[in-house]
Amino acid sequence: GIMDQFAIILSEKNKVMMLDCRDRTYQFFPAAIPGTKWVLINTKVKHQLIDSDYNQRARECKLSVDNLKFAFYEVKSLRDVTLDMLSNSGLPELHKQRCRFVIEENQRVKEMVNALSKKDAVPAGELLKASHHGLQYLYEVSCEELDHLADIANSTEGVFGGRMMGGGFGGCVICLVQEDAMDAFLKKAISSYEQTFGFKPEVIEFELSDGVSMVSP
């Protein structure tokens, strides 16, 4: 895809990008919500499933789109499919699950833009929770370690929500946390993770920066 390349080159400090991969238009929105902080927690695991299983998800979605095109002429990709179309599609249940996640996740992107624009942490957190639930149960690209951290985030007072990042089967969880609850949350998450898996996760505090630029020698 083009997402990584766009982010590396065009990112703006302290903002998130909403990228339309169909026409390559993009918009920026402030990521900060007063009284909160974003934090990454790295599971420090990478399962070997990512290449084969993630590619399989892509194939399942492409096959679904190919079938949906016969019934709905306006469909070019899953972004054109509604949940009503999907329910009446006759697709296998597994393929419906994959498509449902993508359709709902596209809508969550729009809702997240609205939450960030209003600087409202509560709906932003609920969207993170719903997103991880879909990644775990519908798209099935999560793993035990990611789910453990997301479950802690999504059940801890002072944490608005958390979801896995990236391609899945390992990697990081991103969390939106109330500033004064951060230390207690991280202590709880690290302790629980170490007790469960036998090693500590990595906490990554980060800032959103501009994209790459020319540097004088």
Side-chain angles (χ1 to χ4, degrees), residues 7-204:
I8 290 166
I9 295 173
L10 298 171
S11 288
E12 293 187 4
K13 186 174 178 61
N14 297 326
K15 294 180 181 179
V16 291
M17 179 194 299
M18 184 171 73
L19 170 63
D20 188 320
C21 291
R22 174 171 285 173
D23 61 17
R24 300 191 180 187
T25 58
Y26 53 96
Q27 296 173 273
F28 293 99
F29 301 90
I33 299 176
T36 71
K37 288 189 69 175
W38 295 93
V39 66
L40 284 170
I41 308 178
N42 183 5
T43 63
K44 296 168 73 172
V45 300
K46 182 178 180 181
H47 294 300
Q48 299 307 311
L49 298 171
I50 187 167
D51 290 331
S52 60
D53 279 30
Y54 203 85
N55 289 338
Q56 178 63 24
R57 302 297 182 277
R59 285 191 292 270
E60 289 163 351
C61 289
K62 183 181 184 305
L63 182 60
S64 297
V65 170
D66 290 343
N67 287 322
L68 285 161
K69 285 178 180 178
F70 288 109
F72 306 99
Y73 70 91
E74 66 269 36
V75 170
K76 295 187 175 99
S77 69
L78 278 178
R79 69 182 291 170
D80 304 314
V81 180
T82 66
L83 292 177
D84 284 341
M85 288 180 184
L86 187 63
S87 65
N88 296 314
S89 65
L91 290 174
E93 190 58 36
L94 179 65
H95 288 192
K96 283 185 178 180
Q97 288 182 17
R98 305 295 191 241
C99 294
R100 180 185 160 198
F101 167 73
V102 175
I103 294 166
E104 292 179 342
E105 188 78 347
N106 281 341
Q107 181 59 35
R108 281 191 285 268
V109 170
K110 298 175 183 177
E111 292 174 9
M112 181 61 81
V113 165
N114 186 53
L116 291 176
S117 298
K118 293 180 177 179
K119 301 188 182 302
D120 195 337
V122 173
E126 291 303 313
L127 290 165
L128 293 173
K129 293 176 184 178
S131 181
H132 188 84
H133 185 273
L135 287 159
Q136 181 178 359
Y137 293 108
L138 296 179
Y139 213 59
E140 295 184 288
V141 292
S142 190
C143 65
E144 184 180 3
E145 295 88 350
L146 286 167
D147 294 338
H148 186 85
L149 289 174
D151 287 346
I152 293 171
N154 293 332
S155 61
T156 297
E157 186 174 354
V159 182
F160 293 99
R163 75 183 284 274
M164 57 158 274
M165 291 280 289
F169 308 111
C172 296
V173 169
I174 188 168
C175 306
L176 180 60
V177 187
Q178 198 170 297
E179 279 186 310
D180 59 10
M182 181 67 79
D183 289 345
F185 162 61
L186 292 178
K187 183 178 179 180
K188 175 182 177 181
I190 292 169
S191 175
S192 177
Y193 191 89
E194 184 176 22
Q195 288 178 17
T196 304
F197 300 107
F199 59 96
K200 292 182 179 180
E202 177 189 14
V203 174
I204 304 173

Side-chain angles (χ1 to χ4, degrees), residues 2-12 17 209-212:
I2 60 174
M3 182 178 68
D4 288 351
Q5 294 89 330
F6 265 70
I8 290 166
I9 295 173
L10 298 171
S11 288
E12 293 187 4
M17 179 194 299
S209 64
D210 291 326
V212 297

